[in-house]
Amino acid sequence: MQLCRMEEPNQNPNSKSPLTKDHSKLNYISEEQQINAMIESAPFPIAVYIGKEMRIARANQAVIEVWGKGPDVVGKIYKELLPELEGTGIYQRLDEVYETGIPFNIRNSKVKLTINGELKEFYFNYSFTPLFDDSGKVYGVMNTAADVTDLNLAKQHAEFSEINFRKMILQAPVAMSLLRGPAFVVDLVNEAMLDIWGKPFAQVTGKPVFEALPDAKEQGLEEVMEAVYRTGEPFFANETPVKLIRHGKEDTVYQNFVYQAYRDPYGSILGVLAISVDVSEQVRARKELEKTYEQIQLSKTAAQLGTFDLDLEKGTMEWDERCRKLFGIAHMNPVTYEQDFVQGLHPEDKERIIKIIDELLTGKKPDGNYDVEYRTLGQQDQQLRWVRAKGKVYYENSKPKRFIGSVLDITNQKQNEQRLLDLSEKQARLAAVVNSTDDIIISKTLEGIITSWNPAAERAFGFTEAEAIGCHISIVIPKSRLNEEDYILGQIRKGSKVDHFETVRYSKDKREIHLSLTVSPVVDHTGKVIGASKIARDISQQKIIHQREKKYTVRLEIMNMVMSAISEELDLNKILQKVTDATTELTGAEFGAFFYNKMDTTGESYTLFTLSGAPREAFEKFGMPRNTAVFHPTFSGEGVVRVDDITKDPRYGKNDPHFGMPKGHLPVVSYLAVPVISRNGHVIGGLFFGHPEPAMFSEEHETLVISIAAQAAISLDNAKLFEEVRALNDKKDEFIGLASHELKTPLASINGYLQILDRQIKEEAPKKFLQKALNQVGRITALVNDLLDVSKIEAGKLQLTNGEFDLKPIVEESIELIQHSAAKHIISFSSGMSHCLVQGDAQRIEQVIVNLLSNAIKYAPKADKVEVALSCTTEKVVVSVKDFGPGIAKDKLKNIFTRFYRIDEASPNISGLGIGLYLAHEIITRHNGEIWAESELGAGSTFFFSLPRQLD
C-alpha cells in the first residue's frame, strides 16, 4: 500500500516525492505514524477521505473546528456530515480527483457552513490531493485547507517558510514578483505578473527588471522602487498607466500596485515585493462609462431631459436642474414630494398622477414601470408646461426602495399636436365650407391645371368634378380673355394676391357668367409657391342691379339737378328749356318739345316754346300742331299718351291736309306726351317726345316725366308769380321815389317855418311844443331820406364820394352825436390806434355808425351801456358796436340785413321800417367791406363792419 505524501510547505507544488516500494514494513509503519502525527498536529485543517463514498478516515482538530459538527466525525460520510455543501460543486470536485487522480486546489473560495445550527460564510484556500495505493490506484483524497476569512491572511503568509512564501507568490490570484537587490533582479514572478508584463518567464527571470522590461523605463517607476528599497516605506498607486510592449505590441496597462520592502528575518531589506492588479479593463470600462455618462449628459441636455430619484427608505428626493425648471422651482433647497412635486402638478392632472404613483408604491403595478404625461404649473413663474415622465420603481422583498426616472419637456410637442388638431378641425370646417358655399372655389397649378373643383363650380360651369380636374382652366375662359389668366398666374408666381378681379367666364353651354375673382398663392412648407386657390363669386345679378342702379342714379342726378335748377330758377324760358332737355335725356327720346297751350280764336293752335334733340326749324316750317285727336288728350289735360307705334294708333292720320306726318317731318314712331298742369288745374302746355324706333318708352319713363312735369308746373307758376311781384315791386319803388321826392319840399318848408317860430316865441309852454314838432319833422325828414336812398339803391343811382379819411375821428364824432340824445346810456370807445386811414365816403360811413349806435340804444332800453371798438390788421379795419339788450335768435340773424325786415316780437313797441340795416349793408358792401352780427339771446348783440385798410 502506498500513501502519497502531503505537499511540503517549502517544496515546489509541481514536484512529488512518493515513498519507494522497497522500504521495509517498519519504515512504512513509522512513516505512516509520522504522517498521522503531522496531520493531527497541523495548524491548518486536514482531512482524509477513503473510498468513492468519501468516508472520513482522518480529521485533525483544525478541520473539526472548521466544520463545527462536533468531534465525532471519523467514519462518517463527507456528504452526510456537510449537507450544506450541496450545489457548491465541492462534491463533484472530490469525485473528479478520486476518478482522475489529478489534484485540485482553489483560493479564496466562498463556502457556507452550518456552525452550531447557524449557516455562516467563510473563505478558504483549499486543495484535494489523491492518495494512491501500492498499485498506483487512488484509494482516497486528502483535503487541506486554509481559512483566509481573517484579514490577517497577509501576516500569516509572512510567517510561512520561504517555500510557502514562494508558493504563495506563484499561486497568488494577483500579480506578484520578487525583485532582489538594488538592481531589482527578477527572482520570482507568477503567471499573473507575466501576463501584465507580456513576456515569457525565461525572458525575464534572473534579469534586472528594467533590463527585462526596457519599455518600462522613464515612467517614474525606477525612482519609486529605489525609494522603497532605500527607505523601506511602501508605495501605493491606483490606476497608474504604464506603457509596455506586451506580446509584441505596445500597450498601456492600468495597475493598482504596491511596492513593499522584502526583508530577511533580521529586518534587512533584500529587495522589493511588487504586487499588482491589472485594472485596465475596469479603468477602460470606467472611462467608457464616464464617456458614456458624459454623452448621456450631453444627450440629456440636448434632449432637455431632467432626472429624479426618490429614495423611499430615506424619504429624500433628488431633482436635477432641468427637472426643477420644468416645475418652475428657482430655489436650490432640497425638494420634497408633497411640496414641490404634488403642488407643482396642474390641478386637473394632480389626482390622476398621484393615483398612478400610489399604485406603483403599493405594488398594484408589480412591473414598477412609470410612463405618464402631465402638466405642471410653475410655482414661481406660473408657466404651464407639458411633461412626459418615464421611470421605474425598484423593489426589494416586495417593498419599494427607489423610484428613479427622467422627465422631458413636451410642451412644444403638445402645442404642435393641438395646432395639428386645430388645423385638422379647420381643414374639416374648410372642406365643409368649400362644399356647402355658393362661391366657386377652384385650385390649380402654376401651369393652370385644375386640381380641385367644388360643387358650386359644378353648378355654375356645368362641368362635373371628374370632368374638370386635370384639365386646363381655359375650358371656362373665353378666348378673348386668355391674357387675363396669364396676368393672374404671373401675379401668383410672384407671391402676390389678386383681389376682386371682375371678368367674364363661359359655362359648358357657352353661357356668359360675370364673376368677381380673388386668387391667392398656394405655398408648400418651404414657402415656395406651388399653385393658386381661386374663389369666384357670380356677380351676374349684381351686374344687372348695378347697371340699373347706375341708370337710376343718373336719372336721379338729372332729376335732382332739374328739380334744383327749376326750383331756383324764376326765368320762364330757362325753366322750360331745362325741363325739356332733362326729360328728353331721361326717356332716351330722339327729340322732345314743350308746346305752350295757347289757343287762337278757333281754339286749335299751340305755341312751340322749347325744343331738344332737333333744330327749331324742323317744326317751324310745318306750323304749330292743331287740336287733333292725337294732341287733344294732352292739351285738354285728360292724361298721358304713350304709344309704342303712333303710326298704328287709330287716332293717327285722320286730319287733312296731311292725314299723318307731313313730308320731311321728324320721324316719330314711339310717342309719349305728358300734360303740364298748374296748381289751379290749368293746362300750361305739354311735353312731347318721339323716337324713330318702336316701343322705346316705358311706364318708368312715363312716371319720371310726370314727376318732372309736376315740379315744372310749380316752377312755372312761381315764375309767373315772380314776374307779377317784380312788376308790382317796380311800381312800389316808383311810388316811393316819387312820394319821397314830393314830400321833401313841403317838409323843408315846414321845418323852416318851425325854426322861425322857435326864434320868435319866447314863452316856455309854446316853445316846448314847438321843439317837439321840430323833432318829429326831423324824424320824418330822416325817414324820407332813407326811403330816397333805398330808391336810389334799387335804381342803381346811389352816389358815393370816394376819398381818403381817418376813421377814428368819424367814430368819435358819431359817438358824441348820439351820446347827446341818449343821456341814460354810457357809450365807451376803445382803440389802440392813434389814427386809421381808409378810402371811401366818410359821410356814408358815419351814417352806418350812427345807425348802429341808434339801434344799440333803441333796442336795449333796459341797458345802460354800449361798447364801441376800433381795431385793425394788416389788411382791414374793424368797427364793432355791442349792446346789452335781449339779443337776436340765430334763425333771425341771417335776415336782419334784408330790406324792410323787422323782428317785431323782440321790439313790438319800437317804430321803424326795417331799412336802416339794409342801407348799412349796401353802403359797406359798395365799399368792398363786410358787415355781420353776432348775438346770443339774453346776452345782447354785437354788430361788426370791416373796410379795406388804407396803408400809411
Side-chain angles (χ1 to χ4, degrees):
M1 176 181 175
Q2 184 180 15
L3 177 64
C4 285
R5 278 193 316 179
M6 287 178 54
E7 297 175 4
E8 294 294 335
N10 58 351
Q11 278 190 323
N12 189 309
N14 295 324
S15 64
K16 294 181 181 179
S17 301
L19 297 174
T20 59
K21 293 180 181 180
D22 58 352
H23 283 174
S24 65
K25 185 177 181 180
L26 180 59
N27 291 336
Y28 174 80
I29 293 171
S30 176
E31 188 167 326
E32 186 174 0
Q33 290 175 347
Q34 290 177 358
I35 292 173
N36 288 336
M38 181 184 68
I39 291 173
E40 288 298 331
S41 63
F44 53 88
I46 300 177
V48 177
Y49 315 127
I50 303 299
K52 185 172 181 61
E53 63 182 356
M54 296 294 148
R55 189 175 296 276
I56 301 171
R58 295 183 182 87
N60 68 356
Q61 186 62 32
V63 78
I64 290 172
E65 290 177 359
V66 168
W67 288 341
K69 302 296 190 294
D72 188 15
V73 296
V74 175
K76 292 183 179 182
I77 295 175
Y78 185 76
K79 290 183 180 180
E80 294 175 354
L81 180 67
L82 301 170
E84 61 266 31
L85 299 181
E86 183 70 38
T88 63
I90 293 176
Y91 299 156
Q92 289 81 358
R93 294 187 187 108
L94 279 171
D95 290 341
E96 289 174 1
V97 173
Y98 184 83
E99 293 293 337
T100 64
I102 299 172
F104 171 81
N105 60 77
I106 190 170
R107 301 182 64 82
N108 297 318
S109 177
K110 183 170 69 174
V111 179
K112 291 183 179 180
L113 297 174
T114 303
I115 307 298
N116 298 324
E118 181 181 355
L119 190 65
K120 294 184 178 181
E121 189 175 274
F122 299 89
Y123 285 88
F124 293 99
N125 294 338
Y126 66 88
S127 63
F128 295 145
T129 304
L131 300 176
F132 298 93
D133 60 14
D134 293 339
S135 64
K137 182 179 178 182
V138 177
Y139 72 90
V141 175
M142 182 174 66
N143 178 196
T144 60
D147 184 354
V148 293
T149 305
D150 197 334
L151 294 177
N152 293 321
L153 178 63
K155 183 178 179 181
Q156 292 174 4
H157 284 177
E159 292 173 351
F160 284 170
S161 64
E162 179 70 16
I163 294 176
N164 288 335
F165 175 70
R166 297 176 71 86
K167 182 179 177 181
M168 179 197 69
I169 292 175
L170 294 174
Q171 295 181 354
V174 297
M176 298 181 69
S177 63
L178 180 59
L179 310 175
R180 289 185 178 271
F184 308 117
V185 175
V186 179
D187 181 40
L188 189 63
V189 59
N190 66 2
E191 291 295 331
M193 186 63 84
L194 290 172
D195 183 62
I196 290 176
W197 291 347
K199 303 289 193 297
F201 178 79
Q203 190 175 337
V204 297
T205 187
K207 296 181 180 179
V209 68
F210 292 108
E211 182 182 327
L213 302 173
D215 40 309
K217 291 181 178 181
E218 298 181 358
Q219 297 187 50
L221 300 178
E222 301 103 313
E223 292 82 358
V224 171
M225 202 174 288
E226 288 171 357
V228 172
Y229 185 81
R230 184 176 65 255
T231 64
E233 295 292 329
F235 176 81
F236 299 89
N238 291 319
E239 297 184 1
T240 301
V242 180
K243 293 182 179 180
L244 297 171
I245 303 297
R246 302 177 68 223
H247 309 296
K249 295 181 180 179
E250 185 175 343
D251 194 5
T252 298
V253 181
Y254 291 89
Q255 302 177 61
N256 292 344
F257 65 86
V258 179
Y259 289 166
Q260 187 170 341
Y262 176 64
R263 302 174 185 267
D264 63 12
Y266 303 102
S268 298
I269 298 175
L270 303 177
V272 174
L273 179 63
I275 304 172
S276 179
V277 178
D278 185 353
V279 292
S280 298
E281 290 187 7
Q282 294 94 312
V283 172
R284 291 191 180 98
R286 179 173 56 77
K287 288 184 178 291
E288 188 65 30
L289 184 62
E290 290 174 352
K291 180 180 178 182
T292 303
Y293 177 77
E294 183 179 355
Q295 290 174 341
I296 290 173
Q297 287 297 108
L298 290 173
S299 300
K300 188 178 77 169
T301 303
Q304 296 186 325
L305 280 173
T307 58
F308 63 88
D309 184 352
L310 177 60
D311 190 324
L312 298 166
E313 286 189 325
K314 297 179 180 178
T316 60
M317 186 164 66
E318 295 290 336
W319 281 359
D320 67 358
E321 182 181 354
R322 183 61 184 165
C323 192
R324 288 172 178 265
K325 185 174 182 181
L326 290 179
F327 279 80
I329 296 174
H331 70 74
M332 296 309 294
N333 299 327
V335 292
T336 64
Y337 177 79
E338 289 292 337
Q339 182 63 32
D340 296 298
F341 175 72
V342 174
Q343 294 303 317
L345 292 173
H346 192 281
E348 296 178 6
D349 296 335
K350 187 178 296 185
E351 183 178 350
R352 174 176 61 88
I353 298 304
I354 292 174
K355 181 180 178 182
I356 292 172
I357 293 175
D358 286 346
E359 290 176 352
L360 284 169
L361 300 183
T362 56
K364 293 181 180 179
K365 293 184 68 176
D367 60 357
N369 290 328
Y370 175 68
D371 189 349
V372 294
E373 291 181 358
Y374 53 79
R375 289 164 292 176
T376 65
L377 197 60
Q379 294 186 36
Q380 292 178 326
D381 61 11
Q382 292 299 305
Q383 182 176 344
L384 186 143
R385 301 175 179 88
W386 273 96
V387 175
R388 181 177 183 183
K390 293 187 71 175
K392 186 176 180 66
V393 176
Y394 294 91
Y395 303 91
E396 186 175 313
N397 298 325
S398 300
K399 183 179 179 182
K401 294 290 185 181
R402 299 283 288 274
F403 183 17
I404 302 173
S406 62
V407 289
L408 174 65
D409 188 346
I410 58 170
T411 305
N412 290 337
Q413 174 187 332
K414 283 294 181 179
Q415 289 173 346
N416 289 336
E417 288 176 0
Q418 186 61 46
R419 280 194 286 268
L420 288 174
L421 179 62
D422 293 343
L423 180 60
S424 176
E425 291 177 357
K426 287 179 182 178
Q427 288 175 337
R429 289 196 295 269
L430 179 60
V433 170
V434 169
N435 290 329
S436 62
T437 183
D438 291 331
D439 288 337
I440 299 163
I441 300 178
I442 301 169
S443 59
K444 58 189 177 182
T445 66
L446 292 177
E447 290 71 38
I449 303 301
I450 299 168
T451 56
S452 70
W453 188 266
N454 77 332
E458 291 184 338
R459 294 191 296 270
F461 294 114
F463 292 100
T464 66
E465 183 180 17
E467 290 174 325
I469 291 179
C471 294
H472 195 273
I473 194 65
S474 59
I475 61 172
V476 296
I477 302 177
K479 290 183 179 179
S480 60
R481 292 182 177 266
L482 287 174
N483 61 321
E484 293 178 355
E485 184 64 14
D486 294 336
Y487 164 75
I488 291 172
L489 287 177
Q491 293 296 105
I492 295 300
R493 288 189 182 97
K494 292 188 294 185
S496 300
K497 183 180 179 183
V498 178
D499 266 327
H500 308 302
F501 185 86
E502 294 190 4
T503 185
V504 176
R505 294 292 183 260
Y506 275 155
S507 64
K508 190 175 182 179
D509 57 4
K510 299 303 179 183
R511 174 175 49 86
E512 281 192 353
I513 307 171
H514 289 270
L515 299 174
S516 175
L517 306 180
T518 296
V519 190
S520 303
V522 176
V523 298
D524 61 14
H525 66 282
T526 65
K528 179 183 178 183
V529 178
I530 58 173
S533 175
K534 177 187 295 184
I535 300 176
R537 178 163 294 178
D538 188 344
I539 57 171
S540 301
Q541 194 63 32
Q542 290 95 313
K543 278 287 185 182
I544 294 171
I545 294 171
H546 178 69
Q547 289 171 356
R548 288 177 181 172
E549 289 176 347
K550 185 176 180 180
K551 183 169 67 175
Y552 291 154
T553 301
V554 171
R555 288 175 178 174
L556 286 173
E557 288 176 351
I558 294 173
M559 286 183 67
N560 288 335
M561 181 271 292
V562 171
M563 298 296 188
S564 177
I566 64 179
S567 63
E568 295 174 357
E569 186 60 65
L570 294 174
D571 187 298
L572 191 63
N573 292 339
K574 291 181 180 179
I575 291 173
L576 290 174
Q577 188 62 54
K578 287 179 179 179
V579 169
T580 305
D581 291 341
T583 50
T584 301
E585 182 178 352
L586 284 172
T587 58
E590 189 76 13
F591 43 82
F594 177 83
F595 287 96
Y596 225 130
N597 193 9
K598 184 177 181 181
M599 295 183 229
D600 58 10
T601 54
T602 62
E604 293 189 353
S605 295
Y606 308 95
T607 303
L608 173 64
F609 209 88
T610 57
L611 184 65
S612 181
R616 196 174 187 86
E617 295 78 14
F619 280 90
E620 288 178 344
K621 64 182 179 181
F622 297 109
M624 294 300 102
R626 295 171 298 154
N627 190 12
T628 63
V630 173
F631 294 130
H632 178 73
T634 304
F635 289 113
S636 65
E638 291 180 5
V640 177
V641 178
R642 176 168 58 85
V643 183
D644 289 341
D645 189 344
I646 191 64
T647 62
K648 296 178 182 179
D649 190 276
R651 294 169 291 189
Y652 176 77
K654 304 298 184 183
N655 302 94
D656 60 3
H658 303 294
F659 298 98
M661 278 180 282
K663 185 177 181 181
H665 193 280
L666 291 171
V668 178
V669 177
S670 292
Y671 176 80
L672 175 62
V674 178
V676 178
I677 304 172
S678 68
R679 282 175 289 190
N680 59 13
H682 172 67
V683 179
I684 300 172
L687 287 165
F688 296 86
F689 307 96
H691 198 284
E693 300 293 329
M696 295 302 294
F697 303 127
S698 65
E699 184 178 353
E700 180 187 351
H701 295 137
E702 181 181 325
T703 303
L704 287 170
V705 176
I706 290 172
S707 299
I708 295 176
Q711 184 66 33
I714 295 171
S715 297
L716 290 171
D717 283 345
N718 291 339
K720 288 181 178 180
L721 287 173
F722 176 72
E723 291 294 333
E724 293 173 2
V725 169
R726 186 165 60 181
L728 291 172
N729 198 49
D730 289 343
K731 291 179 180 179
K732 177 204 68 176
D733 289 340
E734 183 180 353
F735 168 75
I736 289 173
L738 180 62
S740 299
H741 183 73
E742 293 298 325
L743 286 171
K744 194 167 185 179
T745 301
L747 282 173
S749 298
I750 293 171
N751 188 54
Y753 292 139
L754 289 173
Q755 288 179 6
I756 294 171
L757 287 173
D758 183 54
R759 286 194 295 269
Q760 292 178 353
I761 296 174
K762 304 298 181 181
E763 295 87 352
E764 187 65 31
K767 195 172 184 67
K768 179 178 179 182
F769 290 110
L770 187 61
Q771 189 62 42
K772 288 183 178 181
L774 282 169
N775 290 338
Q776 294 299 323
V777 170
R779 291 181 61 189
I780 293 172
T781 301
L783 180 60
V784 169
N785 289 334
D786 285 347
L787 288 173
L788 281 172
D789 285 343
V790 170
S791 178
K792 292 176 182 177
I793 288 172
E794 293 298 324
K797 296 179 180 179
L798 181 65
Q799 298 295 322
L800 297 177
T801 302
N802 190 28
E804 184 180 271
F805 65 95
D806 189 349
L807 182 59
K808 185 175 181 181
I810 297 295
V811 175
E812 292 171 340
E813 290 171 4
S814 300
I815 292 172
E816 184 179 359
L817 176 66
I818 299 300
Q819 186 69 77
H820 283 304
S821 60
K824 181 182 175 183
H825 291 75
I826 298 174
I827 304 174
S828 63
F829 175 58
S830 63
S831 175
M833 306 170 61
S834 59
H835 62 281
C836 183
L837 297 178
V838 293
Q839 191 80 18
D841 190 328
Q843 185 178 353
R844 290 295 183 181
I845 297 300
E846 182 180 14
Q847 181 182 346
V848 171
I849 297 171
V850 169
N851 179 265
L852 294 178
L853 287 170
S854 299
N855 287 346
I857 292 172
K858 181 167 60 176
Y859 290 102
K862 295 181 180 181
D864 59 359
K865 62 179 179 177
V866 175
E867 295 178 354
V868 181
L870 173 64
S871 62
C872 72
T873 66
T874 56
E875 297 178 352
K876 61 184 178 181
V877 296
V878 179
V879 176
S880 65
V881 178
K882 178 177 177 59
D883 66 53
F884 294 88
I888 304 170
K890 289 185 178 180
D891 59 330
K892 307 291 185 181
L893 278 174
K894 60 183 180 180
N895 297 318
I896 58 175
F897 296 106
T898 304
R899 183 176 55 170
F900 304 126
Y901 183 78
R902 281 175 49 81
I903 307 174
D904 292 333
E905 62 270 23
S907 53
N909 299 320
I910 299 175
S911 62
L913 295 177
I915 59 177
L917 289 177
Y918 169 72
L919 288 172
H921 180 272
E922 291 299 320
I923 291 169
I924 295 300
T925 301
R926 295 195 181 199
H927 278 79
N928 296 321
E930 295 179 8
I931 187 168
W932 70 96
E934 296 175 359
S935 182
E936 184 178 347
L937 286 175
S941 306
T942 303
F943 284 81
F944 302 84
F945 72 84
S946 66
L947 297 172
R949 185 178 180 189
Q950 181 69 26
L951 297 179
D952 295 343

